[in-house]
């Protein structure tokens, strides 16, 4: 059996995961090791999800080449509840083209048909879909969608796919709408899957979210810029607010340590693919983090007279500090961006206390040799 749990999606709603028990997970891993050598070499080069040596970064690297070649419109396809809608008979038929051992096919069918225990304890049968959460689901999803990859390649499209998100790059909006209509028909009639019409669109790449990034071709010099998508920007803004609550009850060092742990991991993912176009965003994020920390400190200093005295001891002008802090009875958030606070609790103050600077670390990261996967041949 598989236990169903629900996790929130950043775009809204919930995603259902199917968590197998220890024995089933062990068996799935063994089956994966048998299937991978047969299927992995045959997958299309433009498929980047859940594959060794490939990642979101290689997907973005390939997408950049298409924009550089002048394909400045994207057909952004999103499959609705893909893992829940995979047609079992079609999947098994695909498996049988390379797997001749009927015992292995029967074992995979049993895994696909495994009953699901819902959070409230109800046990339900499974007639379609691949349980998302086990070791076997990534390769099964790629086997299903490899048929889409081959069809797009047969039609001569330039595309990049990561799991159930596919971007097809075309030269004009008119071509994009034509491609969208024909590919949707293929997906829904041949693959028996459903395209999410609300999340799919024909647009400029800078207007879309793809594996956390957006892309834009600079009209002046033709270079391709990679920067954070709006969804990624909103996500880190929310995380910063979560890590710097106004009512933080511990020391500033503890708050900075928690921030640094998150920012290091975040930058290691986004910093390797983003170009100079993202520097302004990183600069603004740094400034926003410092303001959040100023508000935390001001609240911990409590009374306004204590705030004034601390600012004066840190170098603020006496008259200015008293006037600004008491003038208009500003809220703490407004005080966190006033003159005496900005000049005393400045960038150097937080750098001395170990706060990571996204902009500075990004500059350092660009000097480091790119990971080997960034140089992966795409043809």
């Amino acid at each position: 059996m598989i236990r169903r749990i629900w996790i929130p999606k950043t775009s809204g709603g919930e995603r259902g995961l199917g968590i197998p028990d220890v024995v089933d997970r062990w068996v799935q891993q063994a089956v994966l090791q048998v299937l991978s050598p047969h299927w992995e070499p045959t997958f299309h080069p433009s498929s980047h999800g859940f594959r060794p040596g490939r990642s979101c970064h290689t997907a973005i690297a390939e997408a950049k080449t298409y924009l550089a070649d002048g394909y400045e419109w994207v057909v952004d396809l999103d499959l609705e509840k893909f893992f829940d809608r995979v047609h079992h008979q079609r999947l098994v038929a695909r498996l049988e083209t390379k797997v001749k051992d009927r015992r292995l096919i029967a074992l995979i069918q049993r895994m696909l048909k495994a009953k699901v225990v819902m959070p409230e304890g109800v046990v339900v049968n499974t007639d379609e879909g691949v349980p998302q959460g086990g070791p076997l689901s990534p390769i099964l999803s790629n086997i299903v969608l490899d048929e889409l990859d081959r069809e797009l390649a047969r039609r001569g499209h330039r595309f990049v796919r990561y799991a159930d998100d596919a971007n097809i790059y075309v030269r004009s909006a008119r071509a994009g709408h034509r491609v969208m209509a024909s590919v949707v028909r293929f997906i829904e009639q041949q693959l028996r899957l459903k395209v999410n019409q609300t999340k799919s669109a024909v647009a400029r790449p800078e207007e879309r979210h793809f594996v956390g990034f957006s892309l834009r071709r600079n009209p002046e010099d033709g270079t391709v810029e990679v920067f954070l998508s709006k969804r990624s920007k909103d996500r880190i803004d929310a995380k910063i607010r979560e890590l710097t609550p106004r009512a933080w009850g511990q020391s500033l060092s503890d708050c900075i340590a928690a921030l640094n742990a998150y920012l290091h991991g975040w930058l290691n993912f986004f910093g390797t693919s983003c170009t100079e176009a993202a520097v302004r965003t990183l600069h603004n994020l740094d400034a926003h983090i410092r303001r959040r920390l100023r508000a935390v400190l001001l609240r911990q200093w409590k009374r306004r007279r204590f705030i004034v005295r601390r600012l004066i001891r840190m170098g603020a002008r006496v008259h200015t500090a008293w006037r600004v802090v008491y003038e208009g009875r500003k809220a703490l958030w407004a005080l966190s961006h006033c003159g005496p606070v900005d000049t005393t609790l400045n960038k150097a103050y937080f750098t001395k206390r170990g706060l990571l600077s996204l902009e500075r670390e990004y500059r350092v990261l660009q000097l480091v040799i790119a990971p080997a996967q960034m140089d992966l041949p795409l043809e």
Side-chain angles (χ1 to χ4, degrees), residues 168-379:
I168 306 170
Y169 294 89
V170 295
R171 290 190 181 274
S172 66
R174 182 178 179 181
H177 288 292
R178 183 176 65 250
V179 170
M180 170 73 85
S182 63
V183 173
V184 167
R185 281 197 303 270
F186 175 81
I187 291 173
E188 296 187 347
Q189 295 176 10
Q190 297 297 320
L191 300 185
R192 301 188 184 182
L193 297 172
K194 181 71 173 176
V195 174
N196 191 327
Q197 297 291 346
T198 60
K199 294 183 178 180
S200 301
V202 176
R204 294 284 189 179
E206 59 263 32
E207 301 171 2
R208 305 302 296 173
H209 168 99
F210 183 57
V211 296
F213 300 91
S214 292
L215 298 90
R216 176 178 59 232
R217 186 171 184 264
N218 191 318
E220 297 180 359
D221 56 13
T223 59
V224 179
E225 301 171 339
V226 182
F227 50 94
L228 299 180
S229 69
K230 183 179 182 302
R231 192 186 308 176
S232 296
K233 177 66 167 56
D234 293 342
R235 192 180 304 172
I236 190 174
D237 283 343
K239 189 64 178 182
I240 289 171
R241 288 194 297 271
E242 177 186 333
L243 293 173
T244 56
R246 205 71 54 82
W248 179 261
Q250 303 175 47
S251 68
L252 180 66
S253 298
D254 291 337
C255 188
I256 290 176
L259 267 171
N260 285 350
Y262 173 77
L263 295 178
H264 267 298
W266 184 89
L267 192 64
N268 283 338
F269 176 81
F270 286 98
T272 54
S273 289
C274 281
T275 61
E276 283 290 320
V279 170
R280 172 55 57 182
T281 299
L282 298 180
H283 176 84
N284 292 339
L285 284 172
D286 282 337
H288 182 62
I289 290 170
R290 291 194 298 270
R291 184 175 182 182
R292 298 281 306 179
L293 292 176
R294 291 188 195 108
V296 169
L297 278 177
L298 292 177
R299 184 177 179 86
Q300 290 184 344
W301 292 348
K302 297 182 179 179
R303 298 185 180 181
R304 291 178 183 267
R305 64 175 181 270
F306 295 152
I307 293 174
V308 172
R309 290 170 184 172
R310 281 182 176 269
L311 294 176
I312 293 173
R313 285 201 299 268
M314 296 173 68
R317 295 182 178 181
V318 177
H319 176 73
T320 304
W322 283 104
R323 177 179 57 80
V324 170
V325 171
Y326 276 93
E327 187 178 53
R329 306 295 295 180
K330 298 183 180 70
L332 292 180
W333 180 246
L335 281 178
S336 67
H337 193 43
C338 66
V341 177
D342 281 343
T343 55
T344 54
L345 301 178
N346 53 22
K347 183 188 298 186
Y349 174 88
F350 290 109
T351 300
K352 186 177 180 180
R353 279 149 185 79
L355 178 64
L356 181 144
S357 168
L358 291 173
E359 183 180 1
R360 184 179 64 248
E361 291 298 317
Y362 170 80
R363 300 292 188 189
V364 173
L365 192 61
Q366 298 310 300
L367 301 177
V368 178
I369 298 176
Q373 66 176 6
M374 297 298 291
D375 299 324
L376 182 71
L378 298 174
E379 296 295 338

Side-chain angles (χ1 to χ4, degrees), residues 67-94:
L67 262 71
D69 290 341
Y71 295 84
E72 300 182 39
W73 287 83
V74 62
V75 180
D76 187 2
L77 292 168
D78 182 87
L79 301 184
E80 183 177 339
K81 297 182 178 179
F82 165 70
F83 285 92
D84 297 332
R85 295 180 181 272
V86 172
H87 194 274
H88 286 177
Q89 291 181 346
R90 285 190 58 83
L91 173 56
V92 171
R94 292 279 294 168

